[in-house]
Amino acid sequence: MEAVAADSPPGRVEGALSCFSFNQDCTSLAIGTKAGYKLFSLSSVEQLDQVHGSNEIPDVYIVERLFSSSLVVVVSHTKPRQMNVYHFKKGTEICNYSYSSNILSIRLNRQRLLVCLEESIYIHNIKDMKLLKTILDIPANPTGLCALSINHSNSYVAYPGSLTTGEIVLYDGHSLKTVCTIAAHEGTLAAIAFNASGSKLASASEKGTVIRVFSVPDGQKLYEFRRGMKRYVTISSLVFSMDSQFLCASSNTETVHIFKLEHLNSSRPEEPSTWSGYVGKVLVAASNYLPAQVSDMMNQDRAFATGRLSFSGQRNICTLSTIQKLPRLLVASSDGHLYIYNLDPQDGGECVLIKTHSLLGSGTSEENKENDLRPSLPQSYAATVARPSAAAASTVPGYSEDGGALRGEVIPEHEFATGPVCLDDENEFPPIILCRGSQKGKTKHS
């Protein structure tokens, strides 16, 4: 869920804020600036707490945090082909990798890390950073559009399958095989996003008038929403609520749309005998005899709720999150601000703006403490490593920069402990060794 503040390719920066992204469970916000990057906790409406800030790398245009852990991935305009992975609480670099062309986007969950270039996608195992697969010869993807399910048990990947139409390729990040292709739109894709469980995929085209939701992995259309009719817009972000009941879309207009994922009940009570009710029935009945395009438009659902900004033409990303036990709409904008709205799922209508935070001002430092909204896992990575084992520890070949075994060296099996990577404890350590790598000619090809 990362956005570059400027619509131009990497190399230009709009104002002081170059990029911004919400983490996978929408509890943290990361921003990149000409001076470095900052991480904020989204645990309070009234206060925007700065979790971490770094000025070691200038001109950051990609910054992604793994949930509320200490792992952060950074890409800079000074070295746009290099990905840097840090454990920010320890102040150490875990590894860095260089690629054959500029990095356009990064996506990660607890099992996989994606690096998207214009004509290829690299899939890494996040536990040891070993390169698992390179998807080559994809259609030109100058914006780095791709999506990764945050559910590490499926790790589905989605990316454009055509340069001229809105075809989506659905890829299995575990089996490393293509699942299916989805004919989502007639026009070129502008945005794609999975829900939290990886069971749904939302998409929008460059026209920005229609948003569709498909089932995963079979690719069947589930919902169709109409954002607008009169003007084409640039959809800059799509995001599901964590419970998958709502879908939010932001664009370069002043309106953020929220759609409710529900099918109208065909056995609903009879409409009251009013003139408007009668006209509504006539229109629905008539849609069965109209041309397909007109009929589809009449049957598309409209926005359940909206949030309004006081400006248009800015790059925005949105998310739906629960803060202080209440549902909120959050919009981060390239104007350098975070806007927080009240969202009442019962009423719908227009969301009320309740707080505006400056992303470029000074935040409250929370280096050693963060209110993590994500429920704690029953056992952390460090605890898993420390767990005694009755059997003799088996070993696997160590990981080196060329992807092979280190001569005469091994890494204990527990370094690759089962279960999700958890780096939310300052006493824990990264589950991978320091490494340097260059992803050129050392890959498995699709």
Side-chain angles (χ1 to χ4, degrees), residues 197-273:
S197 65
S199 61
K200 295 180 178 66
L201 176 67
S203 66
S205 72
E206 287 186 343
K207 291 182 178 179
T209 54
V210 175
I211 296 169
R212 296 188 172 101
V213 178
F214 303 89
S215 60
V216 174
D218 57 347
Q220 297 299 310
K221 185 172 72 174
L222 299 176
Y223 305 93
E224 189 169 80
F225 303 106
R226 176 159 288 276
R227 190 214 56 80
M229 294 175 58
K230 294 183 178 180
R231 57 177 174 173
Y232 293 167
V233 302
T234 301
I235 300 291
S236 52
S237 69
L238 283 175
V239 62
F240 289 88
S241 59
M242 292 303 291
D243 60 7
S244 299
Q245 293 186 17
F246 298 91
L247 175 66
C248 186
S250 66
S251 65
N252 57 341
T253 70
E254 68 282 357
T255 307
V256 179
H257 294 79
I258 302 170
F259 305 95
K260 190 172 184 180
L261 276 66
E262 63 176 357
H263 289 294
L264 296 179
N265 189 349
S266 58
S267 59
R268 59 186 173 180
E270 191 73 17
E271 294 281 351
S273 55

Side-chain angles (χ1 to χ4, degrees), residues 133 135 157 159 168-173 175-181 446:
K133 189 79 171 183
I135 305 174
V157 180
Y159 61 92
I168 303 173
V169 177
L170 183 63
Y171 191 88
D172 190 320
S175 66
L176 304 177
K177 295 179 180 178
T178 300
V179 177
C180 68
T181 57
S446 62

